[in-house]
């Protein structure tokens, strides 16, 4: 089995088209020592993941400033609010240098934040000086999550 970068699940090279089945598999997905596994009480199988096992397809904001709550929905309908246990982080694509944002969903499993969702975060972003550099970031549940440095 494999999960593509866009969140599509494949079995023997064919996409799994039944969302309820994908959602069921997602509940037994585990990450151990950098590898992904489907783990049931009677069986265990390795699964290849191209990027992150989930994608964040939607975000909703309530409140303002440090009191804002950013709540994400994933492609398998997990709902997660960015906070201390579910941080937002931003990597950069080695080829293009573009941002690759993620949010922790559960137990070390992340969702890649889709570009349209990331643009919402940028719209809600605020500037803050941290480590001697100005950064754009968003607040959620009293925590500031940097989205990127502002280089002069």
């Amino acid at each position: 089995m494999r999960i593509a970068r866009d969140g599509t699940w494949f079995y023997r090279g064919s996409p799994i088209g039944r969302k309820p089945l994908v959602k069921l598999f997602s509940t037994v997905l585990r990450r151990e020592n950098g590898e992904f596994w489907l783990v049931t009480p009677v069986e265990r199988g390795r699964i290849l993941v191209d990027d992150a096992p989930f994608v964040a397809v939607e975000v909703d904001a309530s409140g303002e400033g440090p009191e804002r709550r950013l709540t994400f929905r994933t492609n398998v309908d997990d709902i997660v609010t960015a906070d201390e246990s579910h941080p937002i982080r931003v990597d950069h694509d080695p080829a293009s240098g573009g941002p690759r944002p993620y949010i922790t969903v559960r137990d070390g499993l992340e969702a890649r934040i889709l570009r349209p969702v990331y643009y919402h975060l940028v719209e809600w972003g605020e500037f803050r000086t941290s480590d001697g550099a100005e950064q754009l970031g968003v607040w959620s549940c009293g925590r500031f999550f940097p989205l990127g440095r502002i280089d002069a």
Side-chain angles (χ1 to χ4, degrees):
M1 288 185 74
R2 179 177 74 89
I3 304 173
R5 186 172 191 276
D6 69 357
T8 303
W9 289 57
F10 289 86
Y11 178 71
R12 295 187 178 180
S14 296
I16 301 173
R18 294 183 51 219
K19 188 171 180 174
L21 186 58
V22 170
K23 287 172 72 170
L24 177 64
F25 282 139
S26 76
T27 65
V28 296
L29 184 65
R30 305 287 181 265
R31 185 172 188 173
E32 299 172 5
N33 301 320
E35 294 183 332
F36 295 91
W37 298 86
L38 294 177
V39 180
T40 70
V42 295
E43 200 169 7
R44 175 182 166 92
R46 188 160 182 261
I47 183 167
L48 300 175
V49 177
D50 291 353
D51 187 359
F54 309 118
V55 291
V57 297
E58 188 176 278
V59 63
D60 184 48
S62 60
E64 294 293 325
E67 303 306 314
R68 175 176 280 144
R69 293 177 58 88
L70 297 172
T71 303
F72 295 82
R73 183 177 63 83
T74 71
N75 59 314
V76 293
D77 296 329
D78 284 327
I79 303 295
V80 60
T81 299
D83 59 17
E84 191 73 30
S85 299
H86 305 93
I88 297 170
R89 71 176 182 88
V90 179
D91 262 351
H92 291 86
D93 185 288
S96 69
R100 288 192 318 198
Y102 300 87
I103 182 166
T104 300
V105 176
R106 65 174 182 276
D107 303 322
L109 299 175
E110 293 182 314
R112 184 175 53 83
I113 299 171
L114 292 180
R115 183 169 294 168
V117 176
Y118 181 68
Y119 289 156
H120 284 298
L121 297 180
V122 170
E123 282 178 26
W124 298 323
E126 298 179 19
F127 293 102
R128 181 173 162 185
T129 302
S130 177
D131 297 328
E134 192 169 22
Q135 295 195 19
L136 177 69
V138 290
W139 287 97
S140 185
C141 296
R143 182 166 173 200
F144 185 78
F145 296 100
L147 300 177
R149 294 171 57 126
I150 307 303
D151 295 322

